[in-house]
Amino acid sequence: MQQLLLLFLLLVGLRPSSSQTNSQDVAALQALMKNWRNEPQSWTGSTDPCTSWDGISCSSGRVTEMRLPSMNLHGTLSNTIYQLSALTYLDLSNNPNLGGTLSPDIGNLKQLTILILLGCSFTGNIPKEIGNLTKLTFLALNSNKFTGGIPPTLGLVSNLIWLDLSANQLSGEIPVSPGLNQLLSTKHFHFSENQLTGPMSESLFNANMSLIHVIFDRNKFTGPIPKSLGLVPNLTIIQLDQNQFSGPVPNSIGNLRNLMELNLASNLLNGTVPDLTNATQLNYVDLSNNNFASSPAPGWFSTLTSLNTLFMDNDGLTGTIPSALFSFPQLQQVSLAKNAFNTLNMRGNISSLLRVVNLTNNHIIEENVDPSYNNSLILTGNPVCLDNINLCTLKQKQQVPYATSLGPCGAISCPTDQSANPVTSQNCLCTNPFQGLMIFRAPAFSDMTNAATFQPLESTLAQNLSLAPRSVALSNVEFSPGAPLTLTVKIFPVSGTGFDRSDIIRISSALVNQTYNAPRTFGPYSFIASTYFPSPSGKKSSMSTGAIIGISVACFVLIVALVLVAIYALRQKRIAKEAVEQTTNPFASWGAGGKDNGDVPQLKGARYFSFEELKKCTNNFSGIHEIGSGGYGKVYKGTLANGQIAAIKRAQQGSMQGTAEFKNEIELLSRVHHKNLVSLVGFCYEQGEQMLVYEYIPNGTLRENLMGKGEMHLDWKKRLRIAVGSAKGLAYLHELADPPIIHRDIKSTNILLDESLNAKVADFGLSKLVSDTQKGHVSTQVKGTLGYLDPEYYMTQQLSEKSDVYSFGVVMLELITARQPIEKGRYIVREIRTAIDQYDQEYYGLKALTDPAIRDSAKLVGFRRFVQLALECVEESAVDRPTMNDVVRELEIIIQNEGAQLLQSGSVSAEQFGNAKGRDPYAEHLPMKDESSSSTFDYSSVYSYSAVEPK
Ligand SMILES: *[C@@H]1O[C@H](CO)[C@@H](O)[C@H](O)[C@H]1NC(C)=O
């Protein structure tokens, strides 16, 4: 009996846990856990939430904090969460698969001071009971799918400092009395990207408010901007762009002495351009696209010396652009496109930080520009360009956005979703960084190239989040006026293994609750995390040493075996190849055509075919085998003796090329092997015949497909893939072929599409070896195709790889427009350049020029960047063009972002996207096509030498 009692006491003593946490809280959490997938492992392993559950903190046995940001939770908030009545801190942010509605019971959580639900999928109304949470100081519901109005009861949350409702589908007017005018402590009103309507009440703002940021862009507000906005004394950011505000800009706004950023672009504002003379702290002003009365440049163009960015496109400005503007010491960017300025004066003290002056489509007839100014000056569409073409083209410099240098690790390529870890730069192990998008809705600067701006962001992130030096890397910096500045931040673990749950909670939490303060010029930010799969908690490996040794030995044995197999395979391949080369000696009848005796061609891998062989496989070149014809002859489809389907190009009498060119093409083609280049199977040169035998590419040329002749609908994603495929083929020619090869005739009729829509570059008849010269460019007689021809090559006869880059840029423009490069006397490059409107977020001003087949369907992710890249490729001056490797890299980023956007918009899940497994997300989406249906393609231009010589 005594023993039993002892045992009982022991048992009680061993279970202190269940008695520590309030039983109602335990029950609530356990019910919540049933509702969720992917809750932390620690939640299932232990019964006491207060001592051992990740993300839970307690006080006196009650659950007071729940921090589960970026945990990939799936599910809804079961009603039991509202029983956690002692909660002061609730952060479930960045769980995109956590959704459902918020219950009115949220009003029970009366102790809450911080509520962060950003980056989830919550729907329905914001319940009015949120007004019961009077202790709330921080409320972030941004990036969800909330609908309905802003509840007037929010005005009762009088301690609120941070209010972020951006990027939802909220509608209706902003409530006042009761409503948001009562929030005297609030510093942040962030309501961007909703469907809020106006008019905005004059009583929304008053002089007792503490607001510093008023960010209402991209809504549907109408009516005048309230004059009372100018009474709020501490305002630093006013962002009202992309609404339908009308009437004049209240004068009071020009007297806000702390104002750093004023963005009123793309509204219906009228009256005179506002007087900003007294807003002496202004850094960033955007007043573009309003209905202001036509006027000369306002006086503050010469006095507002704090400015770094001035955007006033399409505002009816006339006369002279004052030269004082360009001497403001912080000035980075000026855009005054689509005005009626006639004189440009840029003399004297030009700001050393000035990067871009955009004066597209003005009436400038006179310019006086200091020759020391070496950055971008865009004068396209001005009369002055008619006389002085150099001025209008040579001053457009590409702006390469900042990206953190990864040192030696930058050269390491890792599987999708992994990056080489720069923290331990000796080994650069591929690792899973924790990453996400930082969105800065109101940066007070516009130059994205300056390391001095971005490096403080890196260093303060590392310091503030207690991370190792070099563990923060920024990339994909993007900004255009009217859109937020976005960038990808990658955070690397110190060791190669990845972060565990508690690391992720700590880092993600500090980024969503604004513990991390970005440098002041960046303004407020939000952080949208990508899905992360944490390593198991407890940083040590769970494997025993014995197991590790066992696995290592097994791996070693496996590697040795693989190496032996590889050596054997290579040897067999060489033996086989030698055998083939011996039986089909291409030199045997070389020169049989008579006088064209050249050196024997140097062939690698291409076969020699006898006339009889090819005659047989095309049924004596019968009509049913014919798949194309043109001035040079005909192309036949035939099945070779080994079963391979081939396209056989047979030159006709009179269009035979010289032996030199024929030889050139077979030599080149036989040397290059890449999945994005059409490969030569062999050739025939006997009995007065010249025939080239290519691999058969079933889906025709890019041009045919763009003209809708194919059955394939080329949507945007497929076009991106075609672009990157052909760019890779070209990059291979330029960078990896030895010696490098310049194609010289890149055009949409020389890009073929196979059954999986892989792009293959064809027709090497004009190609040149770079080794033909010492200096990397070749002086040759100009050849190529009109519309694709590099103007610098045309003028100087100096050929380089950059001439192919130019032609490729034209092909990129064709992918956008589906037009021929020259149509009805109009040149696509020029058409695009003058049509660009940087405020058009969706189409970049190119809606009318965009191929209707892509324009009206899905969102064109990366469209702007794609256009910009194409325009960099067609820069007049070869040195300003990117290399094909740069182009491939850029296109891959665009495609990655395309995938990421799909992921964010929920049209594919992380699993489908292959996020965890590192698969190519595009591999599965492409339809396969039956090749027999495509034999109607006109091959006439495909395998032809259709180059023209410009006059
Ligand atoms: C400005 O717009 C308002 C509202 O659309 C209109 O009533 C007013 O007449 C306009 N004023 C001027 C000067 O055009």
Side-chain angles (χ1 to χ4, degrees), residues 223-224 245-248 268-272 291 293:
F245 286 111
S246 57
L268 306 168
L269 300 167
N270 64 10
T272 54
N291 299 335

Side-chain angles (χ1 to χ4, degrees), residues 776-903:
H777 58 73
V778 197
S779 183
T780 66
Q781 192 190 4
V782 175
K783 285 190 178 164
T785 303
L786 278 182
Y788 296 91
L789 198 60
D790 167 13
E792 192 169 275
Y793 166 48
Y794 177 58
M795 283 186 284
T796 62
Q797 302 193 1
Q798 300 289 308
L799 181 69
S800 75
E801 287 98 330
K802 293 292 184 74
S803 300
D804 282 349
V805 175
Y806 186 94
S807 311
F808 185 77
V810 177
V811 172
M812 287 177 76
L813 298 180
E814 284 183 80
L815 282 168
I816 295 165
T817 61
R819 294 191 187 194
Q820 304 264 19
I822 300 174
E823 239 178 61
K824 299 181 189 121
R826 290 163 166 257
Y827 188 34
I828 195 170
V829 173
R830 204 189 146 72
E831 294 280 295
I832 297 258
R833 276 222 176 96
T834 46
I836 280 175
D837 174 359
Q838 53 186 346
Y839 285 89
D840 177 356
Q841 291 308 320
E842 209 172 346
Y843 294 106
Y844 203 21
L846 304 179
K847 184 161 186 179
L849 286 167
T850 303
D851 183 2
I854 52 170
R855 184 180 61 205
D856 306 321
S857 48
K859 183 167 184 272
L860 307 180
V861 177
F863 183 77
R864 175 182 295 243
R865 196 146 168 171
F866 189 90
V867 175
Q868 285 167 345
L869 183 61
L871 290 180
E872 284 162 19
C873 291
V874 295
E875 285 285 354
E876 298 283 319
S877 169
V879 294
D880 291 336
R881 296 175 208 149
T883 64
M884 280 318 298
N885 261 342
D886 297 336
V887 174
V888 169
R889 221 175 4 246
E890 284 281 320
L891 286 170
E892 278 179 336
I893 291 172
I894 293 173
I895 287 179
Q896 258 180 28
N897 291 349
E898 226 272 338
Q901 292 255 347
L902 284 179
L903 194 60

Side-chain angles (χ1 to χ4, degrees), residues 615-669:
K615 183 176 162 188
K616 190 166 159 226
C617 78
T618 57
N619 212 347
N620 195 14
F621 303 104
S622 79
I624 38 168
H625 284 266
E626 196 179 311
I627 53 174
S629 65
Y632 63 89
K634 288 177 174 166
V635 180
Y636 301 87
K637 180 179 170 184
T639 308
L640 302 174
N642 66 2
Q644 185 183 6
I645 301 175
I648 300 159
K649 186 173 86 171
R650 183 191 192 194
Q652 68 188 5
Q653 291 302 329
S655 71
M656 300 268 183
Q657 46 182 345
T659 301
E661 274 142 336
F662 187 63
K663 217 181 85 187
N664 182 34
E665 181 158 15
I666 34 181
E667 278 185 352
L668 276 174
L669 275 170

